[in-house]
Amino acid sequence: MQHWEADEERSRHMVRFGRRDTAPELALRRALHARGRRFLVDRRISSRTRARADLVFPRARVAVFVDGCFWHWCEEHAHLPKANAELWRAKLLANRQRDASHDAALRSEGWVVIRVWEHDDVDVAADLVEAALDRWDRIASRRSERTHPTAANASRAPAESSAGGRPDASR
Ligand SMILES: [Zn+2]
């Protein structure tokens, strides 16, 4: 406990990343928004878990979590505080297990779960999210053509414009 003050830096870090609307979250939201993607923010999406996804794409059922390096125990950056190291280890391990059980519950309900680290390059993270959305678009359009061969284009058009379905020609 006497080392607690030496960990003041760490405490600030924890406070900063323990809340919503962190800088990395905002950066990813801005990047995807700039690419024409629309999404919900900070939503609980399942009655089976209390997990709140940072970004939610309801139609594609894609849930994105931006994980803080400390709380989610990134192996590159999360060093256990010196004081109470064992307690922190147990706490952070429990966090990781909770993340895994949230993911399993969401996947069992058909969600695509994407976790990116706060340290990830924002464009790489945005690419990852868009790849999942594009995959869903392809599956949805195939399904739509199969079930409604003549109405396929008519029914897809509004959906695509609301999703800002711009092809990735710019990149
Ligand atoms: Zn990290």
Side-chain angles (χ1 to χ4, degrees), residues 45 61-65 99 102-107 111-115:
I45 50 176
R61 282 180 93 74
V62 171
V64 182
F65 295 83
D99 289 343
H102 283 162
D103 292 358
L106 293 175
R107 286 182 175 127
W111 286 91
V112 174
V113 178
I114 296 177
R115 283 187 182 272

Side-chain angles (χ1 to χ4, degrees), residues 28 32-33 36-41 45 53 55-64 111-112 114 129-130 133 136 163:
L28 181 59
L32 286 165
H33 207 265
R37 301 296 185 169
R38 300 295 177 261
F39 44 83
L40 304 172
V41 168
I45 50 176
L55 284 73
V56 179
F57 299 83
R59 284 175 62 242
R61 282 180 93 74
V62 171
V64 182
W111 286 91
V112 174
I114 296 177
V129 174
E130 286 207 299
L133 297 173
W136 179 81

Side-chain angles (χ1 to χ4, degrees), residues 69 74 76-78 117-119:
C69 291
C74 147
E76 284 173 58
H77 304 109
W117 287 109
E118 65 171 276
H119 69 243

Side-chain angles (χ1 to χ4, degrees), residues 27-113:
L28 181 59
R29 275 151 57 177
R30 263 196 304 273
L32 286 165
H33 207 265
R35 296 180 186 196
R37 301 296 185 169
R38 300 295 177 261
F39 44 83
L40 304 172
V41 168
D42 189 36
R43 292 299 159 101
R44 189 175 163 193
I45 50 176
S46 162
S47 55
R48 291 178 55 201
T49 119
R50 299 181 56 76
R52 299 179 73 86
D54 295 316
L55 284 73
V56 179
F57 299 83
R59 284 175 62 242
R61 282 180 93 74
V62 171
V64 182
F65 295 83
V66 181
D67 287 345
C69 291
F70 180 79
W71 285 114
H72 299 266
W73 209 357
C74 147
E75 280 161 22
E76 284 173 58
H77 304 109
H79 302 294
L80 289 173
K82 286 192 187 69
N84 301 314
E86 281 315 303
L87 287 177
W88 277 113
R89 178 187 297 280
K91 161 88 180 147
L92 297 179
L93 192 59
N95 282 357
R96 284 198 9 177
Q97 285 164 348
R98 193 196 51 202
D99 289 343
S101 79
H102 283 162
D103 292 358
L106 293 175
R107 286 182 175 127
S108 77
E109 293 183 352
W111 286 91
V112 174
V113 178

